[in-house]
Amino acid sequence: MKTGRIYAVVHILDMPYHADKALTYYLTPALAEEISVGSFVTVPLGAKNRHVMGVVTELHTRETLDRKFPVDRCKPAASLVSSEFVLTGEMLGLCRYLKEMTFCSIGEAAKAVMPTGALRRLVERYALPPGEEERARSLAYVQTLSGASSMEGDILLLAAQGDGVRRDALNDAVGEGAARCADHLVQKGLLARTYTLSESDNTAYSTFVAPAAPREDLAAILDGDPVVRRQYGYRRRSPTYAKILSAVLQAEGGEICVTEIDPEDYGIPAALRELKKDGLITLRKEPRYRNPYAEQSSAAPRDENALSEEQTAAKAALEALYRTGEPRAALLHGVTGSGKTRVIKAMMDEVLADGRQVIMLVPEIALTPQTVTFFCSYYGRRVAVVHSSLSAGERLDVWRQAKRGEIDIVIGTRSAVFVPFERLGMIVMDEEQEHTYKSDANPKYHARDAARYRCAASSALLLLASATPSFESYYKAKRGIYSLITLKNRYGGARLPEVIMADMHEESLGGSGEAPLGAVLSAAIEENRARGEQTMLFVNRRGYQRYISCLSCREPVMCPHCSVPMTLHKRRSIQEAADESAEWLSHGVLVCHYCGERVAVPTVCPSCTSPHLHAFGYGTQRAEEELWNRYPDLKVTRMDTDTTKGKFSHTTILSNFRDKNADVLLGTQMIAKGHDFPSVTLVGVLSADALLYQDDYRAAERAFSLLTQVIGRAGRGEQAGRAVIQTYNPDHEVLHFAAAQDYEAFYERAIAMRQAMVFPPFCDMVLVAFSAAEEYELMTAAEKFASHLSSLIAPDGAYSDVPMTVFGPFEAQIYRVSERFRLRMILKCRLNKRTRALLACVMTEAALTCGSRISVSVDVNPNSL
């Protein structure tokens, strides 16, 4: 029992970084009994006392508060949002860590840590004042207004109806500025502002039906006994009623779940209500978990997960690290097909045997089905899955199961690192080099950093796994910060694929623009088709063709909202439009991959009105059409963003290919890594050059990683594999390193260049991004920011001790996106405590001076510059 007044320190969820500070509220005795550190609450904020949500980070008594704190001016907290969803001490610490490292607010971090849908929405309404006199005064005021369409009058009349009107609906209902006008009416005492929390807690329920009347009476009703029917007032003629009663009578255990009666009869809900009203049945609701992967939990293991001698040694080394009982990190580096997943599974057995739990991160949803199938076959219902294609309710159920200790393994993409396991023993990051582990929205965290924090807090093992680890991780492994464990051989005696460089200079290419398939790759596809073996083809761009350009003025067709050429897509399927491939104007649509704008293909050049438009390059759609035209009997499946918009699109496409319902799997990066198809003996890279010449210091690393991964999809079964790389630069060293799968040699060559040029891992890169709708305002704000930063790190500045190299401001690679202009600054530094303090200082100053019209953000070690 808490005695004395309790004070809660609260951080507002929707507060921007520069204004994020601790606010103190006192708790009423009733709230003090319910609220703990980590609880989410609603509190009044500002002079208008508008209610907002916040998270409690500390609890105090008067004695533990700062003695100078003016408790007499302290406002009371309004309500508890949820007793179920509370941040643990570890998760609250993680929020503070994310704020410090990524320059987000505590509220932004808390919303990232909690699953979508966990927090009920706070609904703000306007209604007439509760007293009769006050209501009469408000309505009388309406009569005094001139003009029937007065905004104040419209708002008051809406507020007089039912429970009032929601604030977020006012502008649509009355007009722009209605919310501000309503606030003015509140100040006048003519309106009252009320707050409620949405009632739904996002819980799913199963409904069970049981007999309320004697079973013999139900049987008599079904038999048409008029006496019993009159007794219960039963006059139902629809067969749905008889269907329900018959199912209830036949149910084992006396009750039946509604979903078992007839899922296709949409009249059942209404019939249940009527039968309950008649006193014939009772209805009982029971919470249930939504698990779209339930069927996979009953799959049988494909083998006993026997380890090779090399794998056994790797597992022993990992187990020794785990058994220390201290937080440890290891990098499992193995060639493609070396069986890293089997080693991970063996380590999971050890962790689970100790009663601890495991989080396994995968970089993309495309890798989730294969990983889930593998681990569910061994661990069944102990496994749950989290990724962005699941509904908010499905993700929330995983959170609940993890919190209650009902599952032991969670497999998922980046956000799965926040699953609230209390007995965490290991976090695995598969394909740890992938850029998708880094968030592009606030908080701009890397899952590896969050995983490292959680493993340190839980004395757990962090296991990074990849055939092409990031330079940052491999550098730490070389220095002994991580333990380096290697697998040099493919599992089961499989050999690395033979790699053929197809020099496109020597190819005879015809058709419109550049053809996707050269002679060498076409011959290899023919061979594979004749042998009944499967093929994977990688194209690093979706769409039909890269862009359309005018042959007269040489200008590409640009997006009207962005400074980027639009990509040509097919409107119809390849099969429908194959005979019209030359007439792409009639069935094409131009799409901007940045803002989503879609326009019809113009018949004349928008710049010079010339009719001479030509399409250049190719994407997955064009490559698919080429395959269909050349090999009509070949079954081709395409996998890219356009074909994987459904919840289980990835699973369906990959399952069909695994079951040999398709001969060729054609796709973008989502097919390039992590997949294990034993029947694939040929991999084709249609344009390797597009990977080599990107404007980023990581271009070579990313090209090597992607090419090594996609080559490694071939020859993972009993048959030998081949890979054909189409390129205009067959002598490029990155291609040869990737062909040989020689990561060590490539790393030694590239890391020397990184060190000479002082790029990560020998420094940290900070990207400061500016954007605004007005170009002049943007440039002015960026120059002010640069000037302020320069003054702080100058020899006589407050942060003269912070070594930093500043580049910019300069235009972003794509200067305009969605009607907003963009500038960049790049800072080379070491992200220590002093550097973070400097960045916090300039970010706070920028927010105060730039205002809401200019967006300024910081991204530490971003995916791209």
Side-chain angles (χ1 to χ4, degrees), residues 368-556:
T368 307
Q370 175 178 292
T371 308
V372 171
T373 300
F374 179 83
F375 287 103
C376 277
S377 69
Y378 291 101
Y379 301 116
R381 296 190 180 275
R382 300 171 75 181
V383 180
V385 183
V386 175
H387 56 71
S388 58
S389 287
L390 300 182
S391 68
E394 289 165 341
R395 282 177 277 172
L396 202 57
D397 283 349
V398 174
W399 191 96
R400 287 184 170 116
Q401 288 176 284
K403 186 73 174 174
R404 296 165 186 169
E406 297 172 358
I407 52 177
D408 297 312
I409 301 171
V410 167
I411 299 170
T413 48
R414 183 178 61 230
S415 61
V417 75
F418 300 125
V419 168
F421 278 148
E422 295 182 356
R423 296 174 282 108
L424 184 63
M426 183 170 70
I427 297 180
V428 181
M429 288 185 66
D430 195 21
E431 307 295 351
E432 67 87 29
Q433 80 284 355
E434 284 302 312
H435 67 92
T436 50
Y437 283 126
K438 179 75 160 62
S439 172
D440 292 326
N442 276 347
K444 295 176 180 177
Y445 68 95
H446 196 293
R448 183 172 54 235
D449 298 327
R452 191 164 54 232
Y453 178 93
R454 293 206 63 189
C455 287
S458 301
S459 296
L461 174 65
L462 173 60
L463 176 54
L464 311 175
S466 178
T468 56
S470 65
F471 278 14
E472 290 80 3
S473 294
Y474 201 71
Y475 179 71
K476 287 183 176 180
K478 283 286 193 178
R479 293 181 62 197
I481 298 172
Y482 297 162
S483 296
L484 179 60
I485 298 165
T486 59
L487 297 172
K488 298 181 179 180
N489 302 297
R490 280 195 155 188
Y491 181 75
R495 292 174 296 165
L496 291 172
E498 173 196 1
V499 180
I500 303 164
M501 296 291 174
D503 187 349
M504 300 302 284
H505 281 296
E506 300 175 2
E507 297 280 357
S508 176
L509 302 178
S512 175
E514 183 183 7
L517 301 177
V520 175
L521 183 55
S522 297
I525 293 172
E526 286 275 15
E527 280 183 47
N528 249 35
R529 181 178 65 160
R531 292 201 298 248
E533 296 169 359
Q534 291 181 299
T535 300
M536 293 177 70
L537 299 177
F538 169 67
V539 186
N540 201 31
R541 176 176 288 270
R542 65 187 176 98
Y544 186 73
Q545 288 181 300
R546 291 182 61 189
Y547 63 95
I548 293 175
S549 184
C550 175
L551 297 180
S552 299
C553 69
R554 300 183 181 181
E555 288 290 324

